[in-house]
Each structure stands twice: as structure tokens, then as C-alpha cells.
């Protein structure tokens, strides 16, 4: 489906490039979150070409990347593992992280995996766990091979130091089963921390919620478990956004 800004001149068949130059004329910084992959880079390119000095922040572009989320996720990972990001960053090279469910469409996975698996940065061992049809894109797989990333793809749950759980991106018109992470699962696979970029889904139930009025949720949810890092991820969104600006 075509996504449109209700109050944008694009409704009048305007060029996106003209829209961007108009925004750059008014604002000191532009934060773009788009449904189309590569659109933020296209916006920055046109402004560079015509001499605008307005900085751009990519807050997610379709199935592409989500660099701002990656920054706070990396900080949350260090915090959850009890590591100091300035002194202990090399210690990640001996640890593993498993990305669960929608490796195909999740831009948060695409961005974070590039950073955590890079031998120039952290060199973590990456595991991509999904049901068939939701594996990481071939282009990303080839990139990891070319840059000598240590990674593994699987269709079943496996041990890892950290689990990065995602919902299946139903907005792209694809429905699939999700692996559900409960305290029992975390115990079985030796998971130290569990992360999720949110929102979590009701139907997919990839990360069961804890509800006061429903005792049956208490034993299957990690919400009150010390390994749950997803609300810490939310909290870190504020200082990371401030630092970016």
C-alpha cells in the first residue's frame, strides 16, 4: 500500500525532493521515519547537492535500517550484561546474540546485527532464528560473508547470551508463526538478557505480557524477570535522542 502524509504536498503530486528542500529551509534538523527503504539517504543526498547544511537523522526507513534504535539497543545490551561501554566493549567478542522471528523485514535487526557482528567493533557471534520464509535478506547474508562475520541461521531456538526478540512485521502483508520467549525458554537456553524493540504483538505473543488481573500470565511472562531489558531500552531512548540532537 502507498503511505502518504495527510498534510503533505505529496498529496498534490509534489516531488519528494522538493518537499525535503522545503523542510530543510525551515528547520535546524530533520528526523525522518519512512515506509520506503533508502528514502532518508535520498533526502540527504538532494540537500547535499544543493548546499543545505541541515543534518538528517534516520529514525527508520522501511525494511532498511534503524540506526537510532541501534544506538540505544547497544547501550541497553551493555547495561544488561553488566558491562561498561567505555572500558568493556571488547568483551562482547566472546558473547553471542540471537535475533528471533522476523529477520526478513525487521530493520532493527538489520542495523543492530551489522554493528554487533562487525570485527572492527564488537565481533559478537550472531544467530538468526526464524521460521522458514523469514530469514535475513540474501544481500545482508552476502555482506556478512564478505566481511567475515561469525553468524549462524537456524529454524529452532538455540542457546545465546542475549535474545533480541521481534514481532513478525504484519504491516508488510506477511503472517507467520513466532517463537515465544518465556522464563522457561530463557532458562533452557541460558539466556542472560532478553530485548525487544517494541511494540510487541498480541496475536504473535512472541513476548508474553504480565497482567495483574490475569494470573495465568504471571508464569509465562518475563516482564518482572531481571533478564527483561525491553523497558530499559525504552528509557534509554530519551538520553540517546538528546545526545544525537
Amino acid at each position: 500500500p502507498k503511505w502518504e502524509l495527510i498534510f503533505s504536498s505529496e498529496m498534490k503530486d509534489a516531488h519528494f525532493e522538493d518537499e525535503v528542500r522545503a523542510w530543510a529551509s525551515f528547520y535546524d534538523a530533520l528526523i525522518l521515519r519512512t515506509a520506503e527503504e533508502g528514502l532518508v539517504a535520498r533526502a540527504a543526498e538532494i540537500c547535499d547537492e544543493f548546499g543545505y547544511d541541515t543534518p538528517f537523522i534516520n529514525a527508520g526507513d522501511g525494511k532498511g535500517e534503524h540506526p537510532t534504535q541501534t544506538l540505544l539497543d547497544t547501550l541497553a545490551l551493555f547495561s544488561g550484561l553488566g558491562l561498561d561501554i567505555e572500558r568493556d566493549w571488547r568483551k562482547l567478542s566472546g558473547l553471542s546474540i540471537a535475533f528471533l522471528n522476523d529477520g526478513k523485514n525487521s530493520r532493527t535487526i538489520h542495523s543492530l546485527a551489522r554493528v554487533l557482528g562487525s570485527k572492527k567493533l564488537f565481533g559478537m557471534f550472531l544467530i538468526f532464528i526464524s521460521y522458514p520464509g523469514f530469514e535475513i535478506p540474501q544481500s545482508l547474508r552476502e555482506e556478512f560473508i564478505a566481511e567475515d562475520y561469525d553468524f549462524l541461521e537456524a529454524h529452532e531456538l538455540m542457546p545465546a547470551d542475549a535474545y533480541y526478540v521481534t514481532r513478525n512485521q504484519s504491516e508488510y502483508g506477511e503472517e507467520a508463526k513466532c517463537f515465544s520467549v518465556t522464563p522457561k525458554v530463557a532458562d533452557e537456553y541460558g539466556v542472560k538478557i532478553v530485548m525487544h524493540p517494541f511494540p510487541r504483538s498480541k496475536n504473535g505473543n512472541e513476548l508474553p505480557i504480565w497482567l495483574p488481573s490475569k494470573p495465568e500470565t504471571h508464569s509465562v511472562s518475563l516482564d518482572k524477570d531481571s533478564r527483561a531489558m525491553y523497558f530499559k531500552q525504552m528509557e534509554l531512548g530519551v538520553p540517546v535522542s538528546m545526545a544525537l540532537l
Side-chain angles (χ1 to χ4, degrees):
K2 180 175 174 58
W3 295 19
E4 295 178 328
L5 298 172
I6 300 302
F7 301 106
S8 168
S9 293
E10 189 175 349
M11 297 289 288
K12 303 173 184 177
D13 201 30
H15 288 285
F16 172 73
E17 286 77 6
D18 290 343
E19 292 277 82
V20 170
R21 292 183 65 184
W23 298 334
S25 299
F26 288 115
Y27 301 107
D28 298 309
L30 289 172
I31 301 171
L32 298 187
R33 184 181 183 91
T34 70
E36 182 180 328
E37 184 176 347
L39 205 58
V40 181
R42 191 171 131 201
E45 182 181 19
I46 195 69
C47 284
D48 285 346
E49 184 68 30
F50 285 93
Y52 293 87
D53 60 359
T54 307
F56 283 79
I57 294 176
N58 182 350
D61 66 322
K63 300 177 184 179
E65 294 196 56
H66 200 335
T68 52
Q69 181 76 38
T70 288
L71 290 174
L72 68 92
D73 285 348
T74 302
L75 195 56
L77 180 70
F78 272 92
S79 176
L81 293 173
L83 301 175
D84 183 281
I85 198 166
E86 293 187 59
R87 295 193 301 268
D88 302 327
W89 61 275
R90 291 186 183 276
K91 292 182 179 179
L92 286 189
S93 62
L95 302 176
S96 59
I97 182 169
F99 297 94
L100 272 61
N101 295 324
D102 198 351
K104 178 181 179 181
N105 300 309
S106 177
R107 59 194 177 199
T108 63
I109 289 180
H110 301 163
S111 274
L112 186 58
R114 281 186 168 99
V115 170
L116 296 183
S118 171
K119 297 287 181 66
K120 298 176 182 178
L121 294 171
F122 304 118
M124 289 189 79
F125 182 69
L126 312 179
I127 306 170
F128 300 96
I129 301 173
S130 66
Y131 280 97
F134 285 82
E135 298 89 349
I136 58 172
Q138 179 62 23
S139 59
L140 189 60
R141 186 179 297 110
E142 291 173 355
E143 180 182 324
F144 289 161
I145 294 171
E147 297 188 18
D148 195 30
Y149 279 48
D150 293 323
F151 74 100
L152 174 69
E153 296 183 79
H155 296 308
E156 58 186 11
L157 293 174
M158 298 180 65
D161 294 294
Y163 266 12
Y164 190 91
V165 186
T166 63
R167 63 186 175 88
N168 281 317
Q169 316 288 303
S170 58
E171 58 264 40
Y172 294 111
E174 298 176 282
E175 297 290 343
K177 292 193 299 181
C178 284
F179 289 100
S180 184
V181 180
T182 64
K184 182 179 179 181
V185 167
D187 290 342
E188 181 178 353
Y189 294 101
V191 181
K192 297 182 177 70
I193 63 169
V194 177
M195 303 170 67
H196 193 305
F198 270 50
R200 58 179 161 188
S201 61
K202 296 176 182 177
N203 295 328
N205 202 37
E206 74 280 359
L207 196 61
I209 191 172
W210 191 99
L211 296 172
S213 60
K214 295 186 176 181
E216 66 271 20
T217 67
H218 299 178
S219 63
V220 296
S221 176
L222 280 159
D223 287 2
K224 287 197 169 187
D225 193 295
S226 61
R227 292 169 290 191
M229 282 301 295
Y230 28 94
F231 289 108
K232 181 67 174 179
Q233 285 173 264
M234 291 185 189
E235 293 174 14
L236 289 172
V238 174
V240 168
S241 296
M242 292 170 67
L244 280 166
L245 289 170

